[in-house]
Amino acid sequence: MTFQEKKEIYKKIIVSLDYCVDDYLYILDVENDEYFISPHAAVRFKMDNAYFKNPVKEFKKFVYYKDYDLVVADLSKILSGEKDLSQYAV
């Protein structure tokens, strides 16, 4: 099974669980610079869509402004390999 196929399965799971959980489930595809979040999160945070490209730029639209730099710094650590999330990868 390819990564893309796995990602599509996870998207379907997220949509299925959308109103069954209190958390906002998401997929951050670092390699393809894509983001998908629970559809009810998109409504809650007034996002244009639950899926979008270029998440760092898009985060600025809905991440609390005082948290934005921390989010970007953490994401930069992930992208540079300084922070390893391989145990969470699909």
Side-chain angles (χ1 to χ4, degrees):
M1 184 177 297
T2 68
F3 175 75
Q4 187 62 34
E5 291 169 329
K6 289 180 183 179
K7 192 168 71 170
E8 290 305 315
I9 290 170
Y10 280 108
K11 282 175 154 179
K12 289 177 184 177
I13 291 169
I14 288 171
V15 170
S16 296
L17 295 174
D18 193 30
Y19 287 99
C20 299
V21 296
D22 292 331
D23 294 325
Y24 303 117
L25 306 174
Y26 65 90
I27 300 168
L28 174 59
D29 181 349
V30 174
E31 286 183 16
N32 295 310
D33 201 27
E34 298 175 336
Y35 190 81
F36 179 79
I37 193 163
S38 303
H40 77 277
V43 172
R44 164 77 170 85
F45 295 109
K46 297 178 175 75
M47 298 173 178
D48 294 334
N49 201 331
Y51 165 82
F52 47 87
K53 302 280 277 174
N54 194 1
V56 172
K57 178 183 170 197
E58 293 296 315
F59 285 169
K60 195 157 193 123
K61 295 178 182 178
F62 60 87
V63 171
Y64 182 59
Y65 75 97
K66 289 184 179 181
D67 294 337
Y68 179 77
D69 289 338
L70 296 171
V71 170
V72 171
D74 198 44
L75 186 56
S76 294
K77 287 179 183 178
I78 293 167
L79 295 173
S80 72
E82 184 180 340
K83 185 173 185 177
D84 182 19
L85 299 177
S86 60
Q87 71 268 21
Y88 305 108
V90 292

Short mmCIF file of all heavy atoms in Angstrom, two decimals, residues 38-76:
data_model
loop_
_atom_site.label_atom_id
_atom_site.label_comp_id
_atom_site.label_asym_id
_atom_site.label_seq_id
_atom_site.Cartn_x
_atom_site.Cartn_y
_atom_site.Cartn_z
N SER A 38 -10.08 17.57 10.73
CA SER A 38 -11.49 17.21 10.90
C SER A 38 -12.37 18.30 10.34
O SER A 38 -12.17 19.48 10.64
CB SER A 38 -11.83 17.04 12.38
OG SER A 38 -11.02 16.08 13.00
N PRO A 39 -13.37 17.93 9.53
CA PRO A 39 -14.24 18.96 8.95
C PRO A 39 -14.90 19.87 10.00
O PRO A 39 -15.05 21.07 9.75
CB PRO A 39 -15.28 18.14 8.19
CG PRO A 39 -14.53 16.91 7.77
CD PRO A 39 -13.65 16.61 8.96
N HIS A 40 -15.25 19.34 11.18
CA HIS A 40 -15.87 20.23 12.17
C HIS A 40 -14.87 21.23 12.74
O HIS A 40 -15.25 22.29 13.20
CB HIS A 40 -16.63 19.45 13.26
CG HIS A 40 -15.82 18.83 14.31
ND1 HIS A 40 -15.21 17.60 14.18
CD2 HIS A 40 -15.54 19.25 15.57
CE1 HIS A 40 -14.57 17.30 15.29
NE2 HIS A 40 -14.74 18.28 16.15
N ALA A 41 -13.59 20.92 12.67
CA ALA A 41 -12.57 21.89 13.08
C ALA A 41 -12.53 23.04 12.08
O ALA A 41 -12.37 24.21 12.47
CB ALA A 41 -11.21 21.23 13.18
N ALA A 42 -12.67 22.70 10.80
CA ALA A 42 -12.68 23.75 9.77
C ALA A 42 -13.84 24.71 9.99
O ALA A 42 -13.68 25.92 9.83
CB ALA A 42 -12.76 23.12 8.39
N VAL A 43 -14.97 24.18 10.41
CA VAL A 43 -16.13 25.04 10.70
C VAL A 43 -15.85 25.85 11.96
O VAL A 43 -16.04 27.06 12.01
CB VAL A 43 -17.41 24.18 10.86
CG1 VAL A 43 -18.56 25.03 11.36
CG2 VAL A 43 -17.75 23.49 9.55
N ARG A 44 -15.39 25.17 13.00
CA ARG A 44 -15.14 25.81 14.31
C ARG A 44 -14.16 26.97 14.20
O ARG A 44 -14.34 28.02 14.80
CB ARG A 44 -14.62 24.75 15.29
CG ARG A 44 -13.97 25.27 16.56
CD ARG A 44 -15.01 25.75 17.56
NE ARG A 44 -14.43 26.02 18.84
CZ ARG A 44 -13.85 27.17 19.19
NH1 ARG A 44 -13.75 28.14 18.33
NH2 ARG A 44 -13.37 27.35 20.40
N PHE A 45 -13.10 26.79 13.41
CA PHE A 45 -12.06 27.80 13.29
C PHE A 45 -12.21 28.67 12.04
O PHE A 45 -11.30 29.41 11.67
CB PHE A 45 -10.68 27.15 13.34
CG PHE A 45 -10.41 26.50 14.66
CD1 PHE A 45 -10.37 25.12 14.78
CD2 PHE A 45 -10.23 27.25 15.81
CE1 PHE A 45 -10.13 24.51 15.99
CE2 PHE A 45 -10.00 26.66 17.04
CZ PHE A 45 -9.95 25.28 17.13
N LYS A 46 -13.37 28.55 11.40
CA LYS A 46 -13.69 29.37 10.23
C LYS A 46 -12.62 29.29 9.13
O LYS A 46 -12.21 30.30 8.54
CB LYS A 46 -13.94 30.82 10.64
CG LYS A 46 -15.12 30.97 11.57
CD LYS A 46 -15.32 32.40 12.00
CE LYS A 46 -16.56 32.58 12.82
NZ LYS A 46 -16.53 32.13 14.17
N MET A 47 -12.19 28.05 8.86
CA MET A 47 -11.22 27.81 7.79
C MET A 47 -11.98 27.75 6.47
O MET A 47 -13.15 27.41 6.43
CB MET A 47 -10.51 26.48 8.01
CG MET A 47 -9.72 26.39 9.26
SD MET A 47 -9.13 24.69 9.43
CE MET A 47 -8.17 24.82 10.90
N ASP A 48 -11.30 28.05 5.39
CA ASP A 48 -11.91 27.96 4.08
C ASP A 48 -12.22 26.52 3.70
O ASP A 48 -13.17 26.26 2.97
CB ASP A 48 -11.00 28.59 3.01
CG ASP A 48 -10.83 30.08 3.20
OD1 ASP A 48 -11.72 30.71 3.79
OD2 ASP A 48 -9.79 30.60 2.76
N ASN A 49 -11.41 25.59 4.18
CA ASN A 49 -11.53 24.20 3.80
C ASN A 49 -10.84 23.33 4.84
O ASN A 49 -9.95 23.81 5.55
CB ASN A 49 -10.88 24.01 2.43
CG ASN A 49 -11.35 22.80 1.70
OD1 ASN A 49 -11.73 21.80 2.31
ND2 ASN A 49 -11.34 22.86 0.39
N ALA A 50 -11.19 22.06 4.90
CA ALA A 50 -10.53 21.12 5.82
C ALA A 50 -9.21 20.63 5.23
O ALA A 50 -8.37 20.08 5.94
CB ALA A 50 -11.45 19.94 6.13
N TYR A 51 -9.03 20.80 3.94
CA TYR A 51 -7.79 20.40 3.26
C TYR A 51 -7.16 21.63 2.61
O TYR A 51 -7.86 22.44 2.01
CB TYR A 51 -8.09 19.36 2.16
CG TYR A 51 -6.94 19.20 1.20
CD1 TYR A 51 -5.88 18.37 1.53
CD2 TYR A 51 -6.89 19.89 0.00
CE1 TYR A 51 -4.80 18.23 0.67
CE2 TYR A 51 -5.82 19.76 -0.86
CZ TYR A 51 -4.78 18.93 -0.52
OH TYR A 51 -3.71 18.81 -1.35
N PHE A 52 -5.85 21.75 2.75
CA PHE A 52 -5.17 22.83 2.06
C PHE A 52 -3.69 22.53 1.90
O PHE A 52 -3.12 21.69 2.60
CB PHE A 52 -5.36 24.18 2.76
CG PHE A 52 -5.13 24.17 4.24
CD1 PHE A 52 -3.88 24.36 4.79
CD2 PHE A 52 -6.20 23.98 5.11
CE1 PHE A 52 -3.67 24.37 6.16
CE2 PHE A 52 -6.01 23.99 6.48
CZ PHE A 52 -4.74 24.18 7.00
N LYS A 53 -3.08 23.20 0.94
CA LYS A 53 -1.65 23.13 0.69
C LYS A 53 -0.98 24.27 1.47
O LYS A 53 -1.65 25.19 1.92
CB LYS A 53 -1.35 23.31 -0.80
CG LYS A 53 -2.01 22.31 -1.73
CD LYS A 53 -1.31 21.01 -1.80
CE LYS A 53 -0.16 21.04 -2.77
NZ LYS A 53 0.61 19.81 -2.75
N ASN A 54 0.34 24.18 1.61
CA ASN A 54 1.14 25.22 2.26
C ASN A 54 0.62 25.54 3.66
O ASN A 54 0.21 26.67 3.94
CB ASN A 54 1.19 26.47 1.38
CG ASN A 54 2.26 27.44 1.83
OD1 ASN A 54 2.98 27.18 2.79
ND2 ASN A 54 2.35 28.55 1.15
N PRO A 55 0.62 24.55 4.56
CA PRO A 55 0.04 24.76 5.88
C PRO A 55 0.67 25.90 6.69
O PRO A 55 -0.05 26.60 7.39
CB PRO A 55 0.22 23.43 6.59
CG PRO A 55 1.02 22.57 5.70
CD PRO A 55 1.10 23.20 4.37
N VAL A 56 1.97 26.11 6.55
CA VAL A 56 2.60 27.17 7.35
C VAL A 56 1.96 28.51 7.04
O VAL A 56 1.62 29.28 7.94
CB VAL A 56 4.13 27.22 7.11
CG1 VAL A 56 4.74 28.42 7.78
CG2 VAL A 56 4.78 25.94 7.60
N LYS A 57 1.74 28.79 5.78
CA LYS A 57 1.10 30.05 5.38
C LYS A 57 -0.36 30.08 5.84
O LYS A 57 -0.83 31.08 6.39
CB LYS A 57 1.17 30.20 3.86
CG LYS A 57 0.50 31.44 3.34
CD LYS A 57 0.54 31.48 1.82
CE LYS A 57 -0.34 32.59 1.32
NZ LYS A 57 -0.66 32.42 -0.10
N GLU A 58 -1.07 28.98 5.66
CA GLU A 58 -2.49 28.91 6.01
C GLU A 58 -2.71 28.97 7.52
O GLU A 58 -3.72 29.50 7.98
CB GLU A 58 -3.13 27.65 5.43
CG GLU A 58 -3.19 27.65 3.92
CD GLU A 58 -4.08 28.74 3.36
OE1 GLU A 58 -5.20 28.94 3.89
OE2 GLU A 58 -3.66 29.39 2.39
N PHE A 59 -1.78 28.40 8.31
CA PHE A 59 -1.92 28.43 9.77
C PHE A 59 -2.07 29.85 10.29
O PHE A 59 -2.76 30.10 11.27
CB PHE A 59 -0.71 27.78 10.46
CG PHE A 59 -0.66 26.28 10.39
CD1 PHE A 59 0.48 25.61 10.77
CD2 PHE A 59 -1.74 25.53 9.95
CE1 PHE A 59 0.54 24.23 10.72
CE2 PHE A 59 -1.69 24.15 9.89
CZ PHE A 59 -0.54 23.50 10.28
N LYS A 60 -1.44 30.78 9.63
CA LYS A 60 -1.49 32.18 10.07
C LYS A 60 -2.92 32.72 10.08
O LYS A 60 -3.25 33.61 10.84
CB LYS A 60 -0.61 33.05 9.17
CG LYS A 60 -0.35 34.41 9.77
CD LYS A 60 0.90 35.01 9.20
CE LYS A 60 1.30 36.18 10.02
NZ LYS A 60 2.61 36.12 10.57
N LYS A 61 -3.80 32.13 9.28
CA LYS A 61 -5.18 32.57 9.20
C LYS A 61 -6.01 32.16 10.42
O LYS A 61 -7.02 32.80 10.70
CB LYS A 61 -5.85 32.02 7.94
CG LYS A 61 -5.27 32.55 6.66
CD LYS A 61 -5.95 31.92 5.46
CE LYS A 61 -5.36 32.41 4.16
NZ LYS A 61 -6.00 31.73 3.01
N PHE A 62 -5.61 31.08 11.11
CA PHE A 62 -6.46 30.60 12.20
C PHE A 62 -5.74 30.26 13.50
O PHE A 62 -6.39 30.09 14.52
CB PHE A 62 -7.31 29.39 11.74
CG PHE A 62 -6.50 28.21 11.28
CD1 PHE A 62 -6.07 27.27 12.18
CD2 PHE A 62 -6.21 28.05 9.95
CE1 PHE A 62 -5.34 26.18 11.76
CE2 PHE A 62 -5.49 26.96 9.51
CZ PHE A 62 -5.05 26.02 10.42
N VAL A 63 -4.42 30.17 13.49
CA VAL A 63 -3.69 29.93 14.74
C VAL A 63 -3.63 31.25 15.51
O VAL A 63 -3.35 32.31 14.93
CB VAL A 63 -2.27 29.39 14.46
CG1 VAL A 63 -1.42 29.35 15.72
CG2 VAL A 63 -2.34 28.00 13.82
N TYR A 64 -3.88 31.17 16.79
CA TYR A 64 -3.82 32.36 17.64
C TYR A 64 -2.47 33.05 17.43
O TYR A 64 -1.42 32.41 17.47
CB TYR A 64 -4.01 31.94 19.10
CG TYR A 64 -4.01 33.07 20.09
CD1 TYR A 64 -4.94 34.10 20.01
CD2 TYR A 64 -3.09 33.09 21.12
CE1 TYR A 64 -4.94 35.14 20.93
CE2 TYR A 64 -3.08 34.12 22.06
CZ TYR A 64 -4.01 35.14 21.95
OH TYR A 64 -4.01 36.17 22.87
N TYR A 65 -2.50 34.34 17.18
CA TYR A 65 -1.30 35.07 16.77
C TYR A 65 -0.13 34.92 17.74
O TYR A 65 1.03 34.92 17.33
CB TYR A 65 -1.61 36.54 16.49
CG TYR A 65 -1.81 37.39 17.72
CD1 TYR A 65 -0.78 38.17 18.24
CD2 TYR A 65 -3.04 37.42 18.38
CE1 TYR A 65 -0.96 38.95 19.37
CE2 TYR A 65 -3.23 38.20 19.50
CZ TYR A 65 -2.19 38.96 20.00
OH TYR A 65 -2.38 39.73 21.12
N LYS A 66 -0.40 34.79 19.03
CA LYS A 66 0.69 34.62 20.01
C LYS A 66 1.30 33.22 19.94
O LYS A 66 2.41 33.02 20.42
CB LYS A 66 0.19 34.90 21.42
CG LYS A 66 -0.11 36.36 21.67
CD LYS A 66 -0.50 36.61 23.11
CE LYS A 66 -0.77 38.08 23.37
NZ LYS A 66 -1.13 38.34 24.77
N ASP A 67 0.59 32.28 19.36
CA ASP A 67 1.08 30.90 19.24
C ASP A 67 1.72 30.62 17.89
O ASP A 67 2.44 29.62 17.73
CB ASP A 67 -0.06 29.90 19.46
CG ASP A 67 -0.61 29.94 20.86
OD1 ASP A 67 0.12 30.37 21.78
OD2 ASP A 67 -1.77 29.52 21.05
N TYR A 68 1.47 31.46 16.92
CA TYR A 68 1.90 31.18 15.55
C TYR A 68 3.41 30.94 15.45
O TYR A 68 3.84 29.96 14.85
CB TYR A 68 1.48 32.31 14.60
CG TYR A 68 1.93 32.06 13.19
CD1 TYR A 68 1.26 31.16 12.38
CD2 TYR A 68 3.04 32.73 12.66
CE1 TYR A 68 1.68 30.91 11.08
CE2 TYR A 68 3.45 32.50 11.36
CZ TYR A 68 2.78 31.58 10.58
OH TYR A 68 3.21 31.34 9.30
N ASP A 69 4.22 31.80 16.03
CA ASP A 69 5.68 31.64 15.94
C ASP A 69 6.13 30.33 16.57
O ASP A 69 7.06 29.68 16.07
CB ASP A 69 6.41 32.82 16.58
CG ASP A 69 6.28 34.10 15.77
OD1 ASP A 69 6.01 34.01 14.55
OD2 ASP A 69 6.44 35.19 16.35
N LEU A 70 5.49 29.91 17.66
CA LEU A 70 5.82 28.64 18.30
C LEU A 70 5.47 27.46 17.41
O LEU A 70 6.23 26.50 17.30
CB LEU A 70 5.12 28.50 19.65
CG LEU A 70 5.52 29.51 20.72
CD1 LEU A 70 4.58 29.40 21.92
CD2 LEU A 70 6.95 29.28 21.14
N VAL A 71 4.32 27.54 16.77
CA VAL A 71 3.90 26.48 15.85
C VAL A 71 4.88 26.37 14.68
O VAL A 71 5.32 25.28 14.32
CB VAL A 71 2.46 26.73 15.33
CG1 VAL A 71 2.11 25.78 14.21
CG2 VAL A 71 1.46 26.61 16.46
N VAL A 72 5.25 27.49 14.10
CA VAL A 72 6.18 27.50 12.97
C VAL A 72 7.56 27.00 13.40
O VAL A 72 8.20 26.23 12.69
CB VAL A 72 6.25 28.90 12.33
CG1 VAL A 72 7.36 28.98 11.30
CG2 VAL A 72 4.92 29.26 11.71
N ALA A 73 8.02 27.40 14.58
CA ALA A 73 9.32 26.94 15.07
C ALA A 73 9.31 25.43 15.28
O ALA A 73 10.28 24.75 14.92
CB ALA A 73 9.67 27.66 16.37
N ASP A 74 8.23 24.91 15.84
CA ASP A 74 8.13 23.47 16.05
C ASP A 74 8.09 22.72 14.72
O ASP A 74 8.77 21.71 14.54
CB ASP A 74 6.90 23.15 16.89
CG ASP A 74 6.95 21.78 17.51
OD1 ASP A 74 8.01 21.40 18.05
OD2 ASP A 74 5.93 21.07 17.47
N LEU A 75 7.33 23.23 13.78
CA LEU A 75 7.27 22.62 12.45
C LEU A 75 8.63 22.68 11.76
O LEU A 75 9.04 21.72 11.10
CB LEU A 75 6.20 23.31 11.61
CG LEU A 75 5.92 22.70 10.24
CD1 LEU A 75 5.55 21.22 10.35
CD2 LEU A 75 4.81 23.46 9.54
N SER A 76 9.36 23.75 11.94
CA SER A 76 10.70 23.87 11.35
C SER A 76 11.64 22.81 11.91
O SER A 76 12.46 22.24 11.19
CB SER A 76 11.28 25.26 11.61
OG SER A 76 10.54 26.23 10.92
#
